[in-house]
């Protein structure tokens, strides 16, 4: 079982690593759903951590439908993340009618050649998640989809996530469950949905707040619960 923890500072990333996180999703703008962090933060975190760091590539918080200029900026961000030592990148692109934007996705994947790729929770805004899955699974470069099954909390979408996990079982693509998972619900969730990667944000923070730091004890308890 792999545990990914969101971090928006070097100190949070170090706390998560020390507590046993397996991978960091590095972002800024947590209240806006996550944006691309500054280059100095990316460089320091990638330099000082021993576990993989996957960086959010999202130039603004106005949804997941991007202009040509946005895509060019995202490609530049991906290039810089490579140079700064990121293990991977995290992005998602949709059309105005909430389908996977294949043209934009192709360009971002090409730019990210050699990096681990996560298709993020833009997937949860797709008009049809199963159709979106069929599109994404065509790309062997994409390692996983981060999703809450279309709900605000993954814990409320166990049937959907179980089905998505089943549909990817024989593929290269993994379903990483995230959003709303915590010390209190992770065991029951995994009893129903046998994913192999889980993603934590507020669930491993002090007072479950993005305004406060990562709580290493919560990470340790989760690792103990799931036997990681």
């Amino acid at each position: 079982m792999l545990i990914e923890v969101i971090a928006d500072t070097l100190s949070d990333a170090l706390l998560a690593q020390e507590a046993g996180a397996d991978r960091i999703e590095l972002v800024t703008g947590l209240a806006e759903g996550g944006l691309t962090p500054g280059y100095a933060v990316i460089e320091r975190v990638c330099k000082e951590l021993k576990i993989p760091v996957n960086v959010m590539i999202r130039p603004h918080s106005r949804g997941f439908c991007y202009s040509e200029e946005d895509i060019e900026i995202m490609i530049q961000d991906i290039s810089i993340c490579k140079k700064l030592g990121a293990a991977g990148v995290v992005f998602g692109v949709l059309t105005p009618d909430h389908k996977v934007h294949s043209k934009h996705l192709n360009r971002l994947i090409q730019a990210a050649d050699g990096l681990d790729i996560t298709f993020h929770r833009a997937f949860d805004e797709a008009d049809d998640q199963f159709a979106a899955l069929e599109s994404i699974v065509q790309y062997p470069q994409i390692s996983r989809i981060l999703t809450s099954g279309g709900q605000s909390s993954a814990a409320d979408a166990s049937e959907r996530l179980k089905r998505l996990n089943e549909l990817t079982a024989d593929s290269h693509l993994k379903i990483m469950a995230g959003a709303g998972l915590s010390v209190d619900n992770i065991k029951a969730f995994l009893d129903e949905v046998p994913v192999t990667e889980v993603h934590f944000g507020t669930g491993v923070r002090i007072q479950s707040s993005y305004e406060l730091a990562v709580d290493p004890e919560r990470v340790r308890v989760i690792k103990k619960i799931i036997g990681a």
Side-chain angles (χ1 to χ4, degrees), residues 170-217:
D170 295 325
S171 76
H172 68 281
L173 191 66
K174 293 183 178 180
I175 296 297
M176 177 167 61
L181 298 178
S182 68
V183 170
D184 297 326
N185 62 25
I186 188 61
K187 185 179 187 305
F189 175 79
L190 290 175
D191 284 345
E192 285 195 60
V193 187
V195 292
T196 57
E197 298 190 4
V198 282
H199 171 95
F200 292 93
T202 57
V204 293
R205 286 181 176 264
I206 296 168
Q207 297 180 22
S208 300
S209 171
Y210 276 137
E211 295 182 4
L212 300 173
V214 166
D215 182 347
E217 186 56 29

Side-chain angles (χ1 to χ4, degrees), residues 17-55:
Q17 174 180 264
E18 179 188 355
D22 300 295
R23 185 173 62 227
I24 296 297
E25 182 190 67
L26 186 63
V27 310
T28 193
L30 286 165
E32 298 177 85
L35 301 169
T36 306
Y39 298 148
V41 176
I42 297 170
E43 183 175 31
R44 284 291 300 277
V45 172
C46 292
K47 182 178 179 180
E48 298 201 24
L49 265 66
K50 297 179 176 65
I51 60 175
V53 177
N54 285 5
V55 181

Side-chain angles (χ1 to χ4, degrees), residues 5-24:
V5 172
I6 300 172
D8 62 346
T9 65
L10 174 59
S11 58
D12 272 349
L14 289 168
L15 285 169
Q17 174 180 264
E18 179 188 355
D22 300 295
R23 185 173 62 227
I24 296 297

